[in-house]
């Protein structure tokens, strides 16, 4: 702030000693050695890889901080005259509210985005270390479950790279997503305590917000005679900010990710209790406060209605909004300017409480009238939906909200009242409509439908792929399209950052592309990849492209050897399915297909086996700890692997691998090594998928259903370059119905029947362990249509074997596909959000004037 500025006459002294960003190898080494010696108190004789990592990370951290400080300064005081249409441009910030940011490792990303990796690699090599070893010392920042959290992380990279003034807001969980161990074929969860040493975060002990829970609401009349609500007598917990710098690629812009940590409010530590010997009681309050940000909920597609989860959501929304409002108020602008200065994007319904919270701030604290406040709220928020699965749609019980957030419940009821009155006026003949669209579900107990609240409180609602955005308009939000008109609903197809998912994960491919395209400009404009298509017949290029894929497969094979003690042949077809384990994603279809392949191999003569395309089936992913069916699938994969990998008759023709603890840093090794990856959800269930994009960008092909972004990938790469199979989303409902009601609805494919018989015979261990899985198909209606799609799936796998047999054609398909992936950059997504939803423009970094 202005009050904290160093006075003008003293600035020269500051500037003289103000730290500069290192830019040579010597400067990098000096910084690194200094950090190892003084910050870490290690010596020349006591410097292992961990210490070398720490020193390198601290040197880069310092470098980022300088750019970060300048960016924040520049964005705060952005010169309005720079702007062409000042009045339509947001000066302040985009706030990305996401309960999850699945960042992975930071060092490699920082080195590449600043363009300093080569210098640093050279520098550490002089000190006797290999950069790869140093990089792999870092633990993942795993504050997310899966696609939703990783999307938020890709968006941060794009926002910074495109110079948008944007902050991410989340919780600083002490424990991220659990670590998965496979013991005797079963998933075991190990806590992920990741904060021992985290050089990337900056505690801001001076940036705190007191957050209230529970208590009661009292009506009072203020001096002007107006009725106001006072929320009081609650319990206070303090939010402390921890900031992490987010460097853009090829720009000095360095944005901020602000994570809130909970701690007992000042005075909460009860010294009377402490002094009278009740140590435990005095510590208990403190622990209760710290519990709020203790752990990430590990459910990726299920809402369980736990009070602590709701507390997390409110704690985070309230702290973030306070922060945003505090910054806005410093500008002394009128409240009507708020939506022109701030755009807040809700990543799914998890931050929906921000809507009643902003309304509360405006009416209870700032004294605005309801309508004026509500118009500001609606203009400020945008809501991104990530699922149509009914079990994933968030609902909170009215009694729980009443207890925890009494004032917010009143406001939610008032929002609902205004909304229903509006609906009644516009649809007077449709009385059922009111019950259908009410924010309150009239169940026992009553429930608050968060997705409806999010739609009503936002000016735009978007899905994450075309099919998904169409589906939300015809299913869960159908009535709302009638009420608000179709323009409120839009699509922003997901994307991925090519910096991490090409340049970082596959440096050799990135380099090859750069050599043909005349530099790395494509990392900033991925559509430039189309120029690669000119080289599809270039012999040298093809050879190098193929050699890179092979090297990536060798690297994965080595990893599999170390991790699983299984030897796989890198010349086999690598078939990979890595993602959260869920029935709708259908890893069971994949493993049934593997069993089918095994049975066919066993039937063959030695002669016939010679013609078979060898394959490695690779699985990876975590199951939510309470999701038994998903855990059963993991167990089956491991049991099948055990049997097949030890069958001498089969040898290299088929290997099955379950990779433990799939996470972002492992994805960076796994994804570049695929020939085929599987994206085989029941049509209409996977909102988008984003790993499908990563695999194709790295020269792999996809076997997939007509679901989510697979459809748009097909549009871009062409039907000949993807293996689509299975029923379409428009037929799903009828098929499900037929499973129960049609006489011949359940004539099981004989090949699938045989797979089931084999499992039941005990070939893969105790058949009882798998009966629930088989019965979900045979007895309980096969909700995910495994039986309907099985034949089409295995037939398509056959086509893949044949296509892979022709290596030249396969290579042509993969090169062509890579060259057509430009659309799927998260930069394109961010430009779409900026233009159609946020109305913000970039703030370019100032030239260095130091
Ligand atoms: C995913 N959702 C979608 N959810 O499943 C995927 N959910 O299709 C899409 O590509 C991706 O979002 C990005 O849009 C999730 O990953 C969760 O992880 C999640 C976490 C908590 C609660 C609910």
């Amino acid at each position: 702030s202005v009050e904290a500025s160093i006075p003008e006459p003293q600035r020269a002294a500051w500037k003289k000693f103000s730290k500069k960003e290192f830019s040579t190898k010597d400067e990098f080494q000096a910084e690194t050695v200094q950090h190892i010696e003084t910050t870490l108190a290690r010596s020349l004789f006591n410097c292992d890889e961990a210490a070398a990592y720490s020193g390198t990370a601290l040197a880069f951290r310092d470098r980022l901080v300088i750019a970060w400080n300048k960016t924040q300064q520049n964005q705060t005081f952005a010169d309005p005259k720079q702007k062409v249409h000042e009045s339509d441009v947001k000066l302040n910030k985009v706030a990305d509210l996401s309960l999850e940011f699945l960042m992975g490792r930071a060092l490699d990303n920082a080195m590449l985005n600043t363009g300093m990796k080569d210098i640093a690699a050279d520098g550490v090599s002089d000190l006797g270390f290999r950069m790869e070893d140093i990089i792999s010392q870092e633990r993942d920042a795993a504050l997310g479950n899966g696609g939703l959290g990783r999307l938020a992380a890709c968006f941060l990279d794009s926002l910074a790279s495109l110079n948008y003034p944007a902050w991410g807001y989340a919780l600083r969980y002490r424990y991220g997503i659990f670590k998965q161990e496979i013991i005797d074929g079963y998933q075991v969860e190990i806590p992920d305590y990741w904060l021992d040493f985290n050089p990337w975060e900056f505690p801001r002990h001076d940036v705190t917000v007191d957050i209230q829970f529970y208590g009661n609401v009292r009506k009072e009349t203020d001096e002007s005679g107006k009725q106001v609500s006072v929320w009081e007598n609650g319990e206070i917990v303090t939010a402390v900010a921890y900031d992490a710098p987010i460097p853009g690629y090829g720009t000095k812009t360095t944005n901020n990710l602000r994570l809130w940590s909970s701690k007992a409010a000042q005075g909460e530590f009860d010294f009377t209790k402490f002094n009278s010997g009740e140590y435990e009681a005095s510590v208990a309050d403190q622990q209760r406060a710290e519990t709020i940000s203790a752990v990430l909920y590990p459910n990726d597609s299920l809402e369980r209605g736990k009070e602590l989860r709701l507390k997390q959501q409110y704690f985070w929304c309230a702290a973030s909004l306070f922060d945003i409002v505090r910054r806005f108020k410093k500008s002394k602008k009128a409240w009507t300017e708020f939506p022109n200065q701030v755009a807040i994007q809700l990543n799914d319904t998890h931050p929906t409480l921000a809507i009643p919270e902003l309304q509360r701030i405006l009416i209870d604290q700032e004294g605005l009238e309801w309508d004026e406040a509500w118009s500001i709220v609606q203009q400020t928020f945008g809501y991104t939906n990530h699922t149509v699965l009914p079990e994933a749609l968030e609902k909170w019980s009215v009694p729980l909200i009443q207890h925890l957030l009494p004032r917010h419940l009143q406001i939610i009821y008032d929002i609902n009242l205004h909304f229903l009155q509006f609906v009644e006026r516009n649809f007077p003949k449709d009385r059922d409509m009111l019950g259908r669209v009410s924010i309150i579900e009239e169940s026992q107990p009553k429930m608050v439908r968060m997705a409806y609240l999010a739609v009503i409180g936002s000016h735009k609602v978007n899905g994450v792929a075309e099919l998904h955005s169409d589906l939300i308009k015809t299913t869960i939000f159908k009535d709302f399209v009638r009420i608000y008109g179709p323009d409120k609903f839009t699509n922003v197809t997901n994307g991925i950052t090519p910096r991490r998912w090409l340049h970082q994960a596959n440096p050799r491919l990135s380099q090859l592309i750069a050599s043909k395209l005349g530099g790395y400009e494509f990392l900033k404009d991925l559509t430039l990849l189309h120029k690669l298509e000119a080289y599809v017949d270039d012999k040298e290029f093809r050879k190098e492209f193929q050699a890179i894929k092979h090297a990536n497969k060798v690297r994965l094979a080595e990893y599999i050897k170390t991790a699983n003690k299984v030897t796989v042949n890198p010349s086999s077809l690598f078939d990979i399915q890595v993602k959260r384990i869920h029935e709708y994603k259908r890893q069971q279809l994949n493993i049934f297909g593997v069993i089918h392949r095994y049975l066919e191999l066993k039937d063959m003569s030695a002669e016939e086996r010679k013609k078979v395309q060898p394959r490695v089936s690779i699985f990876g992913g975590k199951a939510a700890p309470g999701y038994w069916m998903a855990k059963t699938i993991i167990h089956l994969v491991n049991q099948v692997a055990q049997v097949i990998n030890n069958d001498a008759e089969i040898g290299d023709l088929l290997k099955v691998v379950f990779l433990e603890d799939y996470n972002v840093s492992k994805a960076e090794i796994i994804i570049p090594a695929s020939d085929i990856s599987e994206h085989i959800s029941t049509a209409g269930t996977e909102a988008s998928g984003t790993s499908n994009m990563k695999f194709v960008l790295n020269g792999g092909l996809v076997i997939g259903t007509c679901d989510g972004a697979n459809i748009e990938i097909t549009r871009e790469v062409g039907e000949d370059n993807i293996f689509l199979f299975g029923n379409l989303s428009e037929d799903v409902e009828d098929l499900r119905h037929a499973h129960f009601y049609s006489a011949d609805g359940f004539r099981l494919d004989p090949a699938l029947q045989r797979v089931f018989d084999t499992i039941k015979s005990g070939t893969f261990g105790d058949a009882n362990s798998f009966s629930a899985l088989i019965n979900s198909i045979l007895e309980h209606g096969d909700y995910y249509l495994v039986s309907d799609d099985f034949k089409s799936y295995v037939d398509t796998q056959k086509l893949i074997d044949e296509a892979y047999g022709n290596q030249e054609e396969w290579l042509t398909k993969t090169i062509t596909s890579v060259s057509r992936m430009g659309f799927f950059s998260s930069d394109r997504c961010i430009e779409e959000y900026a233009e159609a939803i946020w109305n913000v423009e970039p703030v370019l970094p100032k030239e260095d004037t130091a």
Side-chain angles (χ1 to χ4, degrees), residues 99-100 144-152 296-303 309 347-348 350 384-387 389 392 394 463-465 468 494 580 584-585 685-693 708-709:
L99 251 193
E100 307 189 359
N145 273 284
L148 173 147
R150 184 54 232 177
L151 183 74
L296 166 79
Y297 275 86
N299 304 311
D300 65 326
S301 305
L302 183 74
E303 281 304 329
R309 169 84 170 174
N347 196 18
D348 214 321
H350 318 147
T384 304
N385 173 282
H386 296 265
T387 185
L389 297 186
E394 252 187 308
V464 289
H468 169 65
N494 281 167
R580 287 300 287 259
Y584 89 78
K585 296 180 188 280
T685 62
E686 188 71 275
S688 163
T690 43
S691 76
N692 42 7
M693 304 166 189

Side-chain angles (χ1 to χ4, degrees), residues 18-128:
S18 156
K19 194 145 180 141
K20 308 286 179 297
E21 296 168 337
F22 64 78
S23 55
T24 65
K25 184 172 87 175
D26 277 6
E27 287 166 358
F28 162 75
Q29 285 176 329
E31 295 269 333
T32 304
V33 169
Q34 191 222 310
H35 275 301
I36 296 174
E37 283 191 331
T38 62
T39 318
L40 304 168
R42 298 286 204 111
S43 75
L44 192 59
F45 307 102
N46 181 23
C47 181
D48 53 9
E49 281 170 355
Y53 158 71
S54 304
T56 309
L58 289 166
F60 270 93
R61 177 180 92 153
D62 286 353
R63 198 176 188 281
L64 295 191
V65 169
I66 298 166
W68 190 31
N69 285 339
K70 283 186 186 153
T71 303
Q72 299 315 314
Q73 177 81 0
N74 183 31
Q75 289 177 358
T76 309
F77 300 106
D79 178 2
K81 288 179 204 120
Q82 279 179 3
K83 302 292 176 325
V84 188
H85 308 290
E86 166 54 16
S87 58
D88 345 300
V89 164
K90 290 198 172 75
L91 272 185
N92 202 308
K93 295 261 147 57
V94 180
D96 190 1
L97 258 57
S98 177
L99 251 193
E100 307 189 359
F101 285 91
L102 191 46
M103 302 296 285
R105 290 177 176 151
L107 175 59
D108 204 5
N109 178 249
M111 294 192 297
L112 290 166
N113 278 16
T114 54
M116 295 293 293
K117 186 173 180 181
D118 291 343
I119 284 172
D122 199 8
V124 297
S125 138
D126 281 358
L127 298 170

Side-chain angles (χ1 to χ4, degrees), residues 12-13 110 126 135 191 198 216 265 285 372 487 507 583 620 651 715 787 805 827:
D126 281 358
I135 288 170
N198 179 7
N216 55 276
D285 295 340
E372 191 187 0
D487 290 351
E583 286 165 282
R715 180 191 73 204
S787 60
D827 296 349

Side-chain angles (χ1 to χ4, degrees), residues 118-395:
D118 291 343
I119 284 172
D122 199 8
V124 297
S125 138
D126 281 358
L127 298 170
F129 294 96
R130 291 195 326 163
M131 188 49 102
E132 295 154 70
D133 301 332
I134 288 182
I135 288 170
S136 65
Q137 292 296 314
E138 183 174 355
R139 15 161 93 251
D140 280 33
L143 306 186
N145 273 284
L148 173 147
R150 184 54 232 177
L151 183 74
C154 283
F155 282 2
L156 289 184
D157 185 74
S158 287
L159 284 161
S161 299
L162 296 167
N163 302 304
Y164 283 104
W167 285 30
Y169 281 101
L171 286 179
R172 179 179 178 266
Y173 303 106
R174 241 180 305 138
Y175 297 90
I177 188 71
F178 63 86
K179 280 190 169 311
Q180 178 194 55
E181 283 187 10
I182 302 295
I183 298 180
D184 297 333
Y186 293 98
Q187 166 175 300
V188 175
E189 299 95 18
I190 313 288
D192 169 45
Y193 182 76
W194 68 294
L195 293 169
D196 293 327
F197 176 73
N198 179 7
W200 306 105
E201 67 172 9
F202 288 79
R204 305 284 193 193
H205 294 294
D206 56 330
V207 181
T208 63
V209 188
D210 280 351
I211 307 296
Q212 179 169 228
F213 295 102
Y214 311 106
N216 55 276
V217 182
R218 179 169 53 81
K219 288 253 182 276
E220 122 188 330
T221 313
D222 70 5
E223 317 87 68
S224 63
K226 203 172 126 188
Q227 277 260 306
V228 288
S229 297
V230 182
W231 176 26
E232 61 190 9
N233 302 323
E235 176 185 314
I236 307 290
V237 180
T238 300
V240 183
Y242 284 71
D243 289 346
I246 307 294
Y249 174 81
T251 170
K252 285 284 164 81
T253 297
T254 304
N255 281 339
N256 193 21
L257 172 59
R258 176 156 285 180
L259 305 179
W260 299 106
S261 184
S262 61
K263 69 164 198 188
Q266 285 262 312
E268 277 286 286
F269 191 82
D270 192 333
F271 279 100
T272 19
K273 280 186 194 157
F274 191 80
N275 291 333
S276 62
E278 291 177 65
Y279 303 125
E280 285 176 35
S282 67
V283 172
D285 295 340
Q286 197 185 352
Q287 278 176 349
R288 200 152 36 103
E290 288 175 9
T291 301
I292 293 177
S293 61
V295 56
L296 166 79
Y297 275 86
N299 304 311
D300 65 326
S301 305
L302 183 74
E303 281 304 329
R304 288 169 142 266
K306 291 268 195 285
E307 176 169 339
L308 181 60
R309 169 84 170 174
L310 189 63
K311 268 187 136 173
Q312 288 187 333
Q313 293 185 349
Y314 179 66
F315 177 79
W316 153 64
C317 289
S320 307
L321 267 184
F322 185 92
D323 205 42
I324 293 165
V325 166
R326 171 166 57 193
R327 203 170 312 117
F328 172 76
K329 286 176 76 167
K330 275 193 187 165
S331 77
K332 305 254 169 16
K333 291 192 159 77
W335 276 110
T336 48
E337 273 298 301
F338 188 78
N340 298 325
Q341 299 296 315
V342 183
I344 305 179
Q345 192 64 27
L346 307 174
N347 196 18
D348 214 321
T349 52
H350 318 147
T352 305
L353 285 171
I355 289 169
E357 173 68 1
L358 182 56
Q359 182 72 3
R360 184 184 75 83
I361 293 172
L362 295 177
I363 59 177
D364 290 357
Q365 294 178 348
E366 300 296 328
L368 270 65
E369 294 302 323
W370 178 278
D371 288 339
E372 191 187 0
W374 184 243
S375 150
I376 292 169
V377 168
Q378 276 188 318
Q379 290 177 74
T380 300
F381 290 103
Y383 157 50
T384 304
N385 173 282
H386 296 265
T387 185
V388 292
L389 297 186
E391 68 270 28
L393 292 177
E394 252 187 308
K395 288 175 192 173

Side-chain angles (χ1 to χ4, degrees), residues 618-777:
I618 298 164
F619 293 79
K622 294 174 186 178
Y627 188 177
W628 289 105
M629 198 66 92
K631 290 184 146 180
T632 302
I633 295 171
I634 292 178
H635 186 213
L636 180 59
V637 172
N638 282 299
Q639 291 297 107
V640 170
Q642 192 70 18
V643 171
I644 297 182
N645 297 346
N646 293 305
D647 188 332
E649 214 181 21
I650 298 304
D652 271 358
L653 292 183
L654 183 59
K655 291 280 183 228
V656 182
V657 173
F658 188 95
L659 291 171
E660 201 173 68
D661 199 42
Y662 178 60
N663 61 14
V664 172
S665 57
K666 292 195 179 117
E668 291 166 21
I669 298 170
I670 295 167
I671 289 171
S674 89
D675 295 305
I676 276 284
S677 64
E678 309 225 7
H679 309 276
I680 59 177
S681 50
T682 311
T685 62
E686 188 71 275
S688 163
T690 43
S691 76
N692 42 7
M693 304 166 189
K694 299 168 194 169
F695 278 103
V696 180
L697 184 61
N698 281 281
L701 300 184
V702 158
I703 176 168
T705 43
C706 294
D707 201 15
N710 289 351
I711 297 172
E712 286 148 89
I713 292 176
T714 309
R715 180 191 73 204
E716 296 295 308
V717 302
E719 281 183 30
D720 296 341
N721 297 320
I722 188 164
F723 297 91
L724 294 177
F725 75 97
N727 284 284
L728 303 179
S729 68
E730 61 248 45
D731 300 321
V732 168
E733 213 183 295
D734 287 350
L735 288 165
R736 281 182 181 153
H737 189 264
H739 290 169
F740 283 106
Y741 300 108
S742 131
D744 59 356
F746 235 95
R747 235 176 264 141
L748 205 61
D749 184 274
L752 185 57
Q753 184 64 58
R754 189 171 170 216
V755 168
F756 289 169
D757 293 343
T758 310
I759 296 172
K760 285 182 186 164
S761 75
T763 305
F764 306 111
D766 183 9
N768 289 322
S769 344
F770 309 117
S771 50
L773 184 56
I774 294 178
N775 286 343
S776 73
I777 295 164

